Structure formats: structure tokens, C-alpha cells
Amino acid sequence: MKKLIEQHFGFTPNEINKLDGYDNQNFLIASEDAKYIFKTYRNSGETLDQVEAENQTLLLFSDSNGYPNPVSFSDGSYCKVLEVDKEKRICRMLSFLEGQFFAEVEHSKNLFESFGRFLAQMDLTLQTSVNYTIQSRRWEWNITDLELNRKYIADIPEASKRSKVAYFFQQYNEHVLPVLPELRKSIIHNDANEWNILVKDDEVTGIIDFGDLAHSTLICELAVALTYACYDKEYPLKWAAYILNAYHRVLPLQEREISVLYYLIAARLCISVCNSAHSRKEKPENTYATSSEVKAWEMIDRWLAIGPIQAEQAFREAVGLMNEPRRTTEELSMERFQFISPILSVSYKNPIYMERAAFQYMYDAHGNSFLDAYNNIPHVGHSHPKVVEAGQRQMAKLNTNTRYLYDSLNRYAGQLLAKFPESLNKVFFVNSGSAASDLAIRLARAHTGRSGLMVMEHGYHGNTQIGIDISDYKFSNKAGQGQKEFIIKAPIPDTYRGKYSGRDAGQLYAKEAIGLSRQREIAAFITEPVVGCGGQVPLAPGYLKALYPEIRKQGGICISDEVQTGFGRLGDHYWGYEAQGVIPDLVILGKPMGNGHPIGAVVTTREIADSFSKGVEFFSSFGGNPVSCEIGSAVLQVIEDEGLQENARITGNYYQSLFEDLKREFPVIGDVRGSGLFIGVELVKDPDTKEPDTHLAQHIKNELRNRHILVSTDGPFDSVIKSKPPLCFTKANADRVVEEVRNVLQEKA
């Protein structure tokens, strides 16, 4: 190397040090009076064209400070193919810039504003450049070529992380691609990261490494810079505003550029983690290529928590753009009641005007991001990309009813039934849990020839007439229709508030239910394994094991409503009935199976299905349609791939332990119960009398809403905080919920 430098540059180096690089071999060269960077590349025609294009671009800055200058070889050229370590490589020399790296200094508002000004001034110069080699280049590190990175998503080991990346790919396609032709384009540096920016005395003084030059949208320059400047910040929007404001003062940004900036930053983060994962797979020894990966993943999680609406509002404010006026919740409520009956209730004293959602977060129209600790319908997470993609793909292909033959119905039916014991081997698809409850009762009556039904106190099974008839939660309401003569109601086997507790409580409650069941011939007994509207009350251990055989002896069948408790939510079990050590004759499914898409099902035995087939034909226009089946199949796959049942168990146990700790701190918490991510926290005025504290429960619910956390209340006294979040909920999310509950209780004390 020393001889090479002497021969081609005419000076003798005092020192030569090899530098870390992504995929190049680079050297720091020191002479008596200067330092240089000697860069070498794999020898190919394409690379040679790129290096020459980079040199031409750098020459634009030859009269400016803060940029590396190409150093000519002895013959006046700026690039040569030479033999380095017995290998032909493309070589070039650049001047060395002094300064500390941005990553090594304390960050300040002044530094970030300086960064914004520097970038804008650089981009003003780059806008004058025309280079067809750069313009024709398509590669993974250009955000506008995001799709080239899709092949690397599979190299990310954790399925849940792959899903976050896939989500942002979808969002890019949805929000950026349609406006891409309208965005200003230019050659940009494309890699203003914390190790390429030089700083002195709290000012950005230079930028190095022009190897990522790209012809891209101008706003991508800022997207890259903001990604690396802010990805270790607790409040990235605050720091981003400093850069944006300063940049905008030098090179004004357009409104449409600001509108996509959130998604471009997300895209750059995805490019980073995709390439890190691919590099680790291909070159596990190259730690340089994965050095920023941890911060990038942390930023992805923070970016999801912030959401696109809040981010865009902050970006607009930073450059002096007025935020678009949004209708108030009062205006929206008034409009709603013009068309919708007020009997259709809304949550919270101050309703929320929702606009978007992702995984465990929901975003309102005013820029607030809410942690969803309540909504169990998006079982695997709001807008989960695998589920969204399945629906989009099938909707563009075929959507019809079950009078035709198609693969997705048979495939999904087989996948679903594989989750059940062998005796439960027939499935009827419908379009909701309510429709499934209705059909389940029809099946039971057809099979037994009876009309009587035993139901659970405080149980809820749907909004059809039959669903209301069998739902004590509805028919015993002050405004309800009352208990029908064919209904028998079993007392809820509640070991906290009921009359039995201890080891034998399940058998004692079952004995009462058996006695009641003999009052008339019943077709079926129906209950949820955990009674949600009763206040998240798990059935006392052993209850169904003692009761089911007696129901069957009398000629009835046993129905488990798994709409809320199924698909791994309870953690230890895929289905709630498994916790009781029983197998029902009929299982009702709904909400979670489609992740919010309307789909439901009844799973039963061949014998019961055969009895039903002797009657009039059963048909559901939407039940089992191809789109629903593909979505249902995707949900099953996500649960499996991302280990969501195990996450429900681990996170749920942790979540409950936090509430148990809080219970010891605050006696107003009378009981903590549930399983997995299906939790109830009962509030009482007095722990000895167990007098319910409805007012406190409502206060906590609404205060959490004001702190951007969503929970609900339920139970006969509306005194139970109910938490049943998407199964991607994390321990950090649980920490946040419980800490805010603690804060509310402390303030209330």
C-alpha cells in the first residue's frame, strides 16, 4: 500500500490504517502535512461508473468547506483500477475532514438547527447536478426503491418484527406511491447518518461518504437524516422539528412532501433492519453492517406508538404550515345522531374520533395516539399486514358464496378444525358471533328436539333475538325483555363475589346448576369459559367438569361460547373450555377469528351436524366466502408464527402480577382475575364488604382515556376494569397501563 501511494500520488505516507466499512476496503492515509482517505472497491464496470459519478458530484463542492475533495492521481485522473492485496480493485483518494462525529457529541437544539441548514445548503447545490449514471441507479438504499428490500424481510428472524416491517411496506404503498410522481426529485446524499456528519463547537461542519448518492425525492434527504438523528431520542418529533424548521428556512418544503415524511422515515428504518438482517445472514462476522440495528428497532416501535397523524401535525407545525381543521367530537356526534339511533352507544364521556390504527395502537383524527388495552376484536393487532394482504389479494381475485366450490373454504375449514379435538369435526361458517350463537341454538334444538335452554347469569351471546333470549346480560337489564319461559338461569360460579369459594366451589356451583337443569327438559347449556360481561369472571375450577356429564345424561348438549376467550387469548389454553378439562359438543366463534373482518363459525360434532341436515337447507350469504376464509387462515398463521398464545401467557401473567402488586398498595382493588390477556380488575369501596365502587371504575376508565390508554368497564355493577388487548401487547405496554392506574389512584386518594 505504501508503494502504491508513493507511485500514484507522489508522497510517502507516514501512517496507514484500515477502516471499518460496509462492503468496501478503506484506509486512513497520513502524510507529514495532511490526511487522506484511500478507498477501494470491487472491480466491475457498474461500480466504476458509480465511483466516477460520485467524483463528479463531489467536484461541485470543490470551492466549499465541509466536503471531501477528490485527490487526483499523478496523471490527473480521479479513479484507477489497481492491484491491492493481489486483487484488482477500483481505487480513489479523498481529502480527510477533521471533526467529531455527530454520534460522539452531546446533542442540542443549536446543533440540530445547524444540521438542517447544512443539509439544505448541500441540497441546493445538488439540485444543480445532472448525472445519468446516478439517475439510472436502482438499489436497496434508495427509499423510492423500497420494494427491492422486500426479499430481505424473510431474513428477519422474529415473526413479530417481520410483521412491523411488512406493515410499513403496506403503508408506503398506500400513502407514498400514489403521490410519488408529484414529489420534487433531485440527486441527494442519501446517507446523512450520525457517523457521516462532522461537528465542531456545536455546529455541523461537514459531511462524508457520498457512496450512497441517489436520484430520489428531495424529501428523502430529510427522511434519512431525521431517521438517524432522532432514532435514539425519547421524543423524536421535538428533535425532528429543529432540523425541519432550519432546513425549510433555507430550502422551503412543500406541503405534499411533509404529508409523506412519516412513511419515508419508516421506510428508511425498514431498509436498515432488512439489510442488517440480510447482512447477518450472509456475513455474520461483519458487525459494522448491523451496528445501528438495535436503535432502528427501538425507533420502529416508537414510530408505531406515535402514529402518522401526530407526526404529520408536528412536521407541519415545524415548517409553519397550518394543520387541517378537523371536526370536533361534538360536531361528529351531532351528525351521527342525525342518521344513527342513540341506542347505539359510544365509549367514554368524551368520545374519540378515530381515524387509523396499527397493532396495539389507535390514532384519532386530532393526532392523539392511544394504547389499546381493550379491543379484543383485532386479535393479532390492528391492520396486521398479513391479514390485510390476505383480504386484499383474495378480494381482487374472487369473492362469492358457498354455493360454488373454491379451495379457500376447504383449506380454512381444515386448518380451523385441526385446532379442536377429533370429536369436533364439522364447521358452519357465518358472518358474526351473534349469528353463530343463533345457529348454535338452532343446531341444539334440531338435535335434541327440545326448546328449553340453560344459560349463565350475566352471560352475553349476541344481538339477534335468540342471542338476546339466551343473554342474561341483555334480558335482565332494566330495559330488557325479561327472562323467557324456556330459559333457566344458572348462578355465575364467581369465587370472589359469589356464595362459594375455595377448592370445592366449582362442584358446589355445579350442583346448584344441575338441580336447576332438571326443572324442565333442556336442549342445551351455554356459557362462556370466562364470563366477560359478568366482569371477566372465570368459571370456578371444576365447574364444567361436574356439570357437563349431567347435562348430557338429561339429553342436552353443552355449548362453549369462545368468541372472546378463544384463539389463544387465555395463554395457557387455545380454547377457554380446555381450562375446565372438558370438551363441549358445540363451540361458538366470532370476533377474533377475522381480526375485525366479520366472520363467525359454529364447530360441532358429526352427529349434531347430521341432525341439522335433515331440516330445511342452511345457507349464509357471507359465511365462508373466500375473502373471509383467507383472512381467517391468515389470523391462524399469525398466531402460530408470532407465538401470540405464548405472548398472551407470558405478558398476561406479568400484567396480572403488576395489578396484584397494585392491589396490595391500594385496598380499593378488590380482585384481580382472568387468564392471559383477558383480565378483570374489580374496584370496591371496602375490601371487607366488597361493596362495588362503580364511580371509581368509571373515573379510572375515563382518566386513562385522557392519558391515551383505552380500557373498558363491565360487570353487574359496572365496577370492573376490563383489559383484553390485541395479543401483540407487550410487557412495556402493561407497565404503562398499570403505572397510569397507580397515578390515577394516587391522585384520587
Side-chain angles (χ1 to χ4, degrees):
M1 179 63 68
K2 182 178 179 180
K3 289 181 179 179
L4 184 149
I5 299 298
E6 290 174 340
Q7 178 183 352
H8 291 282
F9 292 96
F11 68 88
T12 301
N14 294 338
E15 191 176 346
I16 299 175
N17 293 305
K18 190 171 183 180
L19 303 174
D20 289 333
Y22 192 70
D23 54 10
N24 302 329
Q25 291 181 19
N26 303 322
F27 303 85
L28 175 62
I29 309 293
S31 68
E32 288 186 4
D33 53 2
K35 292 180 181 178
Y36 305 92
I37 300 294
F38 187 69
K39 299 175 71 71
T40 76
Y41 311 81
R42 290 192 185 93
N43 185 20
S44 74
E46 181 180 355
T47 302
L48 182 60
D49 289 342
Q50 293 295 336
V51 171
E52 289 178 340
E54 184 183 333
N55 281 335
Q56 291 172 21
T57 303
L58 283 172
L59 289 171
L60 294 172
F61 298 97
S62 58
D63 295 329
S64 304
N65 295 323
Y67 302 89
N69 294 318
V71 177
S72 63
F73 288 77
S74 299
D75 62 2
S77 66
Y78 291 105
C79 188
K80 279 184 178 294
V81 177
L82 302 172
E83 187 173 296
V84 179
D85 292 336
K86 300 181 181 180
E87 179 186 4
K88 293 286 186 181
R89 294 185 68 82
I90 298 167
C91 301
R92 63 197 284 239
M93 183 88 85
L94 298 174
S95 62
F96 178 83
L97 299 184
E98 296 287 350
Q100 288 182 281
F101 288 115
F102 191 87
E104 297 174 325
V105 301
E106 184 176 345
H107 291 173
S108 68
K109 177 183 177 184
N110 185 72
L111 178 63
F112 272 55
E113 289 174 339
S114 165
F115 190 10
R117 289 191 297 271
F118 187 95
L119 284 176
Q121 290 159 355
M122 178 182 68
D123 286 342
L124 283 171
T125 300
L126 288 174
Q127 283 184 319
T128 67
S129 175
V130 176
N131 190 296
Y132 295 114
T133 297
I134 296 173
Q135 287 178 229
S136 64
R137 185 185 192 188
R138 292 199 68 213
W139 69 312
E140 290 88 348
W141 286 94
N142 186 349
I143 294 176
T144 56
D145 289 330
L146 176 66
E147 194 60 30
L148 296 178
N149 294 276
R150 185 176 293 277
K151 59 184 177 290
Y152 300 147
I153 296 178
D155 294 336
I156 299 171
E158 302 92 338
S160 60
K161 289 184 174 181
R162 292 197 297 270
S163 294
K164 292 171 186 175
V165 171
Y167 165 79
F168 278 123
F169 268 69
Q170 283 183 350
Q171 296 301 301
Y172 180 93
N173 291 342
E174 178 74 18
H175 297 281
V176 180
L177 281 185
V179 301
L180 203 55
E182 305 168 21
L183 300 177
R184 290 181 291 177
K185 294 179 177 61
S186 172
I187 291 175
I188 63 173
H189 178 277
N190 197 43
D191 196 20
N193 71 56
E194 73 273 41
W195 295 105
N196 285 338
I197 302 300
L198 298 174
V199 176
K200 184 178 181 182
D201 297 330
D202 207 33
E203 292 275 338
V204 169
T205 58
I207 187 168
I208 61 172
D209 194 352
F210 280 65
D212 282 10
L213 282 169
H215 187 261
S216 189
T217 59
L218 178 63
I219 191 65
C220 283
E221 186 82 275
L222 274 167
V224 173
L226 293 175
T227 297
Y228 296 106
C230 301
Y231 70 176
D232 62 344
K233 300 291 186 285
E234 185 177 359
Y235 303 105
L237 296 183
K238 180 187 81 170
W239 291 92
Y242 301 147
I243 295 175
L244 276 171
N245 179 270
Y247 186 101
H248 181 70
R249 290 176 182 274
V250 177
L251 203 175
L253 295 164
Q254 297 177 352
E255 191 168 0
R256 73 188 95 187
E257 293 170 331
I258 292 295
S259 72
V260 297
L261 184 53
Y262 172 86
Y263 301 105
L264 294 174
I265 292 171
R268 180 64 179 206
L269 289 165
C270 291
I271 290 170
S272 178
V273 297
C274 280
N275 279 272
S276 291
H278 182 67
S279 179
R280 187 187 302 104
K281 178 183 174 183
E282 297 296 313
K283 301 176 183 178
E285 73 285 351
N286 188 351
T287 57
Y288 177 82
T290 59
S291 58
S292 63
E293 189 175 12
V294 172
K295 289 181 181 179
W297 281 116
E298 289 174 351
M299 179 70 162
I300 285 174
D301 287 336
R302 199 171 288 121
W303 220 227
L304 284 168
I306 288 169
I309 301 170
Q310 181 182 162
E312 184 179 349
Q313 288 182 351
F315 297 155
R316 291 175 67 91
E317 289 170 7
V319 300
L321 287 172
M322 293 289 291
N323 279 311
E324 296 180 7
R326 297 281 187 165
R327 287 181 295 172
T328 65
T329 53
E330 291 78 11
E331 291 170 336
L332 203 65
S333 295
M334 288 180 63
E335 180 181 329
R336 174 188 175 109
F337 293 136
Q338 288 180 11
F339 309 108
I340 307 296
S341 168
I343 200 170
L344 191 69
S345 64
V346 293
S347 296
Y348 306 105
K349 292 178 181 178
N350 181 18
I352 307 172
Y353 178 8
M354 289 298 187
E355 192 165 295
R356 306 190 68 82
F359 298 101
Q360 66 269 52
Y361 300 101
M362 301 185 76
Y363 316 119
D364 77 4
H366 305 291
N368 299 303
S369 297
F370 293 85
L371 174 60
D372 188 357
Y374 166 56
N375 197 340
N376 66 321
I377 297 175
H379 191 67
V380 299
H382 293 275
S383 306
H384 194 287
K386 192 176 187 72
V387 179
V388 171
E389 193 275 332
Q392 290 174 332
R393 182 185 63 245
Q394 187 58 44
M395 201 175 295
K397 181 180 178 183
L398 172 71
N399 197 17
T400 185
N401 60 54
T402 51
R403 295 196 191 280
Y404 300 95
L405 301 177
Y406 44 87
D407 291 332
S408 55
L409 176 67
N410 301 345
R411 182 170 58 248
Y412 178 50
Q415 291 169 344
L416 183 62
L417 290 175
K419 300 294 184 181
F420 289 94
E422 290 183 8
S423 60
L424 295 169
N425 50 30
K426 292 290 182 181
V427 58
F428 294 84
F429 289 113
V430 289
N431 63 308
S432 71
S434 294
S437 293
D438 194 290
L439 178 59
I441 300 305
R442 288 176 58 194
L443 284 158
R445 285 172 168 169
H447 183 67
T448 64
R450 301 172 177 180
S451 61
L453 300 164
M454 188 165 78
V455 304
M456 179 58 67
E457 182 183 14
H458 306 311
Y460 175 68
H461 304 287
N463 60 22
T464 67
Q465 185 57 59
I466 288 180
I468 293 169
D469 288 346
I470 61 176
S471 297
D472 178 48
Y473 179 74
K474 289 292 186 182
F475 67 67
S476 288
N477 187 283
K478 291 179 181 178
Q481 301 171 351
Q483 185 171 328
K484 298 290 176 67
E485 52 85 22
F486 56 83
I487 295 292
I488 297 169
K489 182 168 66 175
I492 186 169
D494 181 352
T495 58
Y496 172 69
R497 191 170 286 284
K499 60 182 176 180
Y500 301 123
S501 60
R503 185 177 298 178
D504 298 328
Q507 286 73 21
L508 293 171
Y509 277 115
K511 186 176 180 181
E512 281 197 17
I514 291 165
L516 290 168
S517 71
R518 291 170 179 162
Q519 292 178 0
R520 62 173 301 145
E521 291 186 336
I522 60 171
F525 165 61
I526 181 171
T527 187
E528 306 154 88
V530 181
V531 185
C533 291
Q536 308 291 85
V537 179
L539 303 182
Y543 178 75
L544 293 184
K545 192 136 190 166
L547 181 55
Y548 268 20
E550 295 299 323
I551 297 295
R552 288 168 175 150
K553 281 181 186 176
Q554 296 175 40
I557 66 172
C558 302
I559 304 175
S560 185
D561 184 337
E562 298 281 348
V563 168
Q564 296 203 73
T565 55
F567 296 94
R569 174 163 292 282
L570 299 187
D572 289 325
H573 304 285
Y574 204 84
W575 307 113
Y577 66 77
E578 294 173 313
Q580 290 274 325
V582 297
I583 298 175
D585 306 300
L586 230 154
V587 178
I588 296 167
L589 306 176
K591 299 174 187 176
M593 67 189 300
N595 210 52
H597 177 82
I599 179 174
V602 176
V603 174
T604 189
T605 65
R606 179 173 284 104
E607 293 74 20
I608 293 173
D610 288 345
S611 297
F612 191 62
S613 68
K614 295 172 185 175
V616 67
E617 177 200 26
F618 169 75
F619 177 71
S620 170
S621 294
F622 299 107
N625 70 78
V627 173
S628 295
C629 288
E630 289 298 323
I631 288 173
S633 179
V635 170
L636 292 179
Q637 192 64 56
V638 172
I639 295 170
E640 186 73 22
D641 289 348
E642 298 185 13
L644 292 183
Q645 181 182 347
E646 179 67 359
N647 185 65
R649 185 185 70 82
I650 294 171
T651 304
N653 288 344
Y654 177 73
Y655 198 11
Q656 287 194 59
S657 74
L658 295 178
F659 275 120
E660 290 287 357
D661 291 342
L662 202 62
K663 177 184 171 186
R664 286 186 281 273
E665 190 176 343
F666 295 95
V668 292
I669 296 178
D671 193 32
V672 177
R673 55 182 177 255
S675 181
L677 287 172
F678 198 64
I679 294 170
V681 179
E682 182 153 0
L683 281 303
V684 295
K685 294 180 180 179
D686 186 316
D688 295 322
T689 65
K690 301 179 183 177
E691 181 184 355
D693 198 334
T694 302
H695 175 77
L696 180 57
Q698 299 309 304
H699 177 74
I700 292 172
K701 177 182 77 171
N702 284 288
E703 274 300 306
L704 289 182
R705 176 253 180 268
N706 294 336
R707 299 164 197 232
H708 305 130
I709 295 172
L710 305 179
V711 297
S712 185
T713 55
D714 222 324
F717 308 104
D718 211 18
S719 59
V720 180
I721 299 293
K722 185 160 63 173
S723 185
K724 43 180 185 170
L727 297 194
C728 52
F729 205 71
T730 67
K731 287 183 176 181
N733 298 149
D735 285 331
R736 181 182 167 194
V737 174
V738 177
E739 185 56 33
E740 289 297 349
V741 173
R742 173 182 283 106
N743 292 338
V744 174
L745 290 173
Q746 286 175 338
E747 292 166 9
K748 187 74 172 172

